[in-house]
């Protein structure tokens, strides 16, 4: 996994994994729950998309999964998101990048 940031929608979106399945989404959500102690406040599950909102250090963010585009995190308010919400996205994404790289390395060492 290499962290990719984009601003196509007027906010910072962190692409966590652009080629993955639902199992990877749950791995990411469990890391957020266990390591960052976040709570998901709203979960919307559709046929091909999951949109789960959570608060990280007072910033409302969205963990997003789509079977075609993968996993990403972005501010809940999109274009109206303040700079600090965008910075929080980057902080969470960098944390996930280190955790997911460690987990990936463990799989190959076995």
């Amino acid at each position: 996994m290499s962290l990719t940031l984009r601003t196509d929608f007027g906010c910072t979106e962190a692409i966590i994994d652009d080629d993955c399945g639902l199992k990877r989404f749950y791995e990411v959500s469990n890391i957020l729950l266990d390591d960052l102690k976040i709570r998901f406040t709203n979960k919307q599950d559709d046929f091909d998309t999951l949109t789960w909102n959570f608060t990280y250090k007072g910033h409302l963010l969205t963990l997003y999964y789509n079977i075609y585009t993968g996993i990403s995190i972005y501010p809940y308010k999109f274009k109206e998101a303040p700079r600090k919400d965008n910075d929080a996205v980057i902080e969470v994404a960098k944390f996930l990048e280190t955790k997911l790289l460690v987990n990936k390395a463990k799989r190959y060492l076995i």
Side-chain angles (χ1 to χ4, degrees), residues 88-101:
V89 167
I90 296 168
E91 187 176 331
V92 171
K94 286 183 178 181
F95 174 79
L96 285 170
E97 181 179 36
T98 61
K99 291 296 284 190
L100 293 170
L101 283 175

Side-chain angles (χ1 to χ4, degrees), residues 12-99:
T12 299
E13 179 183 18
I15 310 302
I16 305 303
D17 197 330
D18 63 356
D19 185 27
C20 65
L22 195 55
K23 183 177 178 181
R24 184 69 157 181
F25 174 82
Y26 286 113
E27 179 183 6
V28 170
S29 67
N30 285 331
I31 290 171
L32 294 173
L33 288 167
D34 296 342
D35 295 350
L36 295 182
K37 308 296 184 207
I38 63 98
R39 297 266 185 256
F40 291 104
T41 56
N42 185 24
K43 295 181 178 181
Q44 294 181 326
D45 298 348
D46 294 323
F47 173 72
D48 60 356
T49 302
L50 303 176
T51 306
W52 293 7
N53 298 329
F54 64 97
T55 302
Y56 173 73
K57 295 184 178 179
H59 305 282
L60 188 55
L61 307 178
T62 299
L63 176 64
Y64 177 82
Y65 168 77
N66 180 278
I67 61 172
Y68 304 107
T69 60
I71 303 168
S72 63
I73 296 177
Y74 52 81
Y76 176 76
K77 293 185 177 182
F78 295 119
K79 293 180 182 180
E80 297 85 28
R83 176 77 179 157
K84 290 184 179 187
D85 287 359
N86 289 305
D87 293 342
V89 167
I90 296 168
E91 187 176 331
V92 171
K94 286 183 178 181
F95 174 79
L96 285 170
E97 181 179 36
T98 61
K99 291 296 284 190

